[in-house]
């Protein structure tokens, strides 16, 4: 977008100089730079539309790109550019508000159809993008691309009428550029505002979850896919007798008695795939063993692969002892 804006600004400034040219040579040189910048702008617009609409079928944008590139080459190697074979004279016209500008007059370029084809390919791309966006239900994006399509179409029709001496006014490509940039700017601003609102909502949700995890009377421990601890709540600290910093980065297998370490490592690989509930004995810093019922919640990557676990654990040591005592009494 920034590149499009810079090229558009440069094209608008050189176009203003074209309208004030004093000689045919000045007009020809200024027009050639202006049209060259416009070709670059069209090329940038093609790939901005691809990014903006997330077009998966790249044949249409590549067709537009190749056609525009050919038009740019023809323009570069033509003395008067791709619009005219030769600019023979300047005609002065007076605008409604009294200002006078000059426009070139001369025979059209025999390969001007290449430029028309390039604009046609860009138009096809925009139509295709609108259809794809409507098919996905993205009506707001489709409306904005549709408005850009309308601006380009009107500007091109107007340009043909100016070249044919039917309409006497400046070309409308520069206002069309500004209109499209305004649309993109509004959309970008809208995305920034929505992203800011979403960011605040995510932060609020994170605070709520962290508050719950830190204050719940259950042991909560986070384990990454390598089996290393990356989170432990205060209840887990009290239960193990270890601080959060002492547990952070430590293999989870070190929390259980040595006799269970290898079994835990194997079960962890299963849990990261299925997240089952299991019962384990942990070893406190004091050497005391406590039995926990572990309920595992799988954490997934954006590709759906296991990224780790959040284990929510209830200390059932006293419950098991009471049950054993009851069974002994019976």
């Amino acid at each position: 977008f920034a590149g499009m804006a810079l090229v558009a600004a440069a094209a608008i400034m050189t176009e203003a100089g074209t309208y004030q040219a004093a000689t045919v040579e000045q007009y020809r040189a200024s027009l050639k730079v202006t049209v060259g910048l416009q070709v670059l702008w069209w090329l940038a617009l093609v790939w901005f539309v691809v990014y903006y609409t997330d077009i998966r079928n790249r044949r249409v944008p590549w067709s537009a790109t190749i056609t525009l590139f050919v038009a740019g080459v023809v323009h570069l190697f033509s003395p008067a550019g791709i619009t005219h074979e030769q600019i023979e004279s300047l005609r002065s016209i007076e605008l409604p508000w009294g200002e006078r500008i000059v426009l070139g007059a001369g025979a059209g370029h025999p390969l001007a159809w290449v430029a028309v084809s390039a604009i046609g390919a860009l138009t096809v791309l925009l139509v295709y993008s609108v259809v794809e966006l409507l098919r996905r239900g993205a009506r707001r994006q489709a409306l904005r691309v549709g408005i850009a399509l309308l601006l380009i179409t009107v500007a091109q029709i107007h340009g043909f009428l100016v070249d044919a001496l039917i309409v006497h006014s400046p070309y409308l490509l520069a206002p069309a550029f500004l209109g499209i940039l305004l649309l993109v700017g509004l959309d970008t601003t809208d995305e920034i505002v929505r992203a800011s609102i979403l960011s605040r909502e995510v932060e609020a949700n994170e605070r709520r979850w962290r508050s719950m995890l830190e204050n719940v009377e259950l042991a909560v421990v986070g384990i990454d896919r390598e089996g290393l601890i990356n989170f432990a709540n205060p209840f887990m600290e009290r239960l193990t007798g270890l601080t959060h910093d002492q547990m952070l980065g430590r293999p989870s297998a070190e929390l259980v008695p040595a006799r269970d370490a290898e079994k835990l490592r194997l079960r962890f690989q299963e849990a990261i795939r299925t997240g089952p509930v299991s019962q384990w004995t942990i070893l406190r810093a004091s050497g005391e063993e406590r039995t926990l019922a572990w309920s595992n919640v799988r954490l997934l990557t954006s590709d759906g692969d296991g990224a780790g676990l959040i284990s929510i654990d209830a200390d059932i040591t006293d419950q098991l002892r009471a049950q054993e005592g009851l069974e002994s009494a019976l």
Side-chain angles (χ1 to χ4, degrees):
F1 174 69
M4 284 174 55
L6 288 173
V7 174
I12 290 170
M13 287 189 291
T14 57
E15 186 177 55
T18 303
Y19 293 143
Q20 302 302 320
T23 65
V24 169
E25 289 71 21
Q26 289 178 356
Y27 184 90
R28 182 190 303 119
S30 183
L31 180 65
K32 191 164 183 178
V33 172
T34 300
V35 175
L37 289 170
Q38 289 172 354
V39 172
L40 289 177
W41 194 89
W42 296 131
L43 284 168
L45 179 63
V46 167
W47 292 100
F48 176 81
V49 169
V50 172
Y51 165 79
Y52 181 73
T53 60
D54 192 25
I55 293 175
R56 303 300 169 85
N57 183 353
R58 297 299 173 88
R59 286 178 297 179
V60 176
W62 273 115
S63 297
T65 300
I66 293 170
T67 311
L68 282 165
F69 178 78
V70 172
V73 171
V74 172
H75 175 75
L76 180 65
F77 289 98
S78 298
I82 199 170
T83 57
H84 296 81
E85 184 176 21
Q86 189 60 255
I87 298 175
E88 300 166 353
S89 62
L90 300 179
R91 53 193 173 94
S92 177
I93 62 172
E94 184 176 353
L95 301 178
W97 51 88
E99 182 182 359
R100 299 194 71 85
I101 63 172
V102 296
L103 294 173
H109 197 292
L111 294 179
W113 59 268
V114 177
V116 175
S117 299
I119 299 303
L122 177 62
T123 302
V124 170
L125 170 64
L126 293 175
V127 171
Y128 177 79
S129 300
V130 171
V131 172
E132 281 295 303
L133 290 171
L134 289 174
R135 187 176 298 166
R136 297 179 206 162
R139 295 184 178 180
R140 179 179 297 181
Q141 286 180 293
L143 175 62
R144 287 172 177 165
V145 175
I147 293 174
L149 172 61
L150 177 63
L151 291 174
I152 290 173
T153 302
V154 170
Q156 287 304 315
I157 293 174
H158 176 267
F160 294 143
L161 295 176
V162 171
D163 291 338
L165 306 181
I166 298 173
V167 174
H168 304 285
S169 71
Y171 294 100
L172 293 181
L173 277 177
F177 286 173
L178 292 176
I180 293 172
L181 291 175
L182 178 60
L183 283 172
V184 174
L186 289 173
D187 189 69
T188 303
T189 302
D190 185 47
E191 289 295 327
I192 292 172
V193 171
R194 284 193 291 175
S196 177
I197 293 172
L198 181 60
S199 176
R200 288 197 294 269
E201 291 176 354
V202 170
E203 289 177 0
N205 288 332
E206 286 180 350
R207 285 195 297 269
R208 284 194 290 269
W209 276 104
R210 180 166 289 275
S211 176
M212 183 194 74
L213 294 176
E214 290 180 349
N215 293 289
V216 69
E217 289 300 302
L218 292 170
V220 181
V221 60
I223 305 172
D224 66 20
R225 64 187 307 164
E226 304 300 327
L228 304 179
I229 297 170
N230 54 28
F231 174 79
N233 74 338
F235 189 90
M236 187 67 176
E237 292 181 86
R238 295 194 297 271
L239 182 64
T240 60
L242 300 171
T243 66
H244 180 272
D245 290 340
Q246 288 174 322
M247 284 186 279
L248 199 64
R250 186 173 181 173
S252 56
E254 292 184 6
L255 294 181
V256 302
R259 64 178 183 272
D260 295 333
E262 183 60 28
K263 185 178 179 183
L264 177 64
R265 278 190 286 267
L266 294 175
R267 291 291 299 275
F268 171 77
Q269 295 303 321
E270 179 185 353
I272 205 170
R273 293 191 301 271
T274 60
V277 176
S278 56
Q279 183 174 304
W280 289 95
T281 298
I282 68 165
L283 189 65
R284 301 190 67 193
S286 62
E288 178 189 2
E289 295 185 2
R290 305 288 294 184
T291 303
L292 304 181
W294 300 58
S295 180
N296 300 313
V297 179
R298 299 173 64 216
L299 302 177
L300 303 178
T301 66
S302 58
D303 297 326
D305 299 324
L309 297 172
I310 287 288
S311 289
I312 303 174
D313 318 313
D315 185 354
I316 59 173
T317 307
D318 296 335
Q319 177 184 339
L320 292 176
R321 288 174 181 170
Q323 184 177 343
E324 290 173 0
L326 181 60
E327 291 174 353
S328 298
L330 295 176

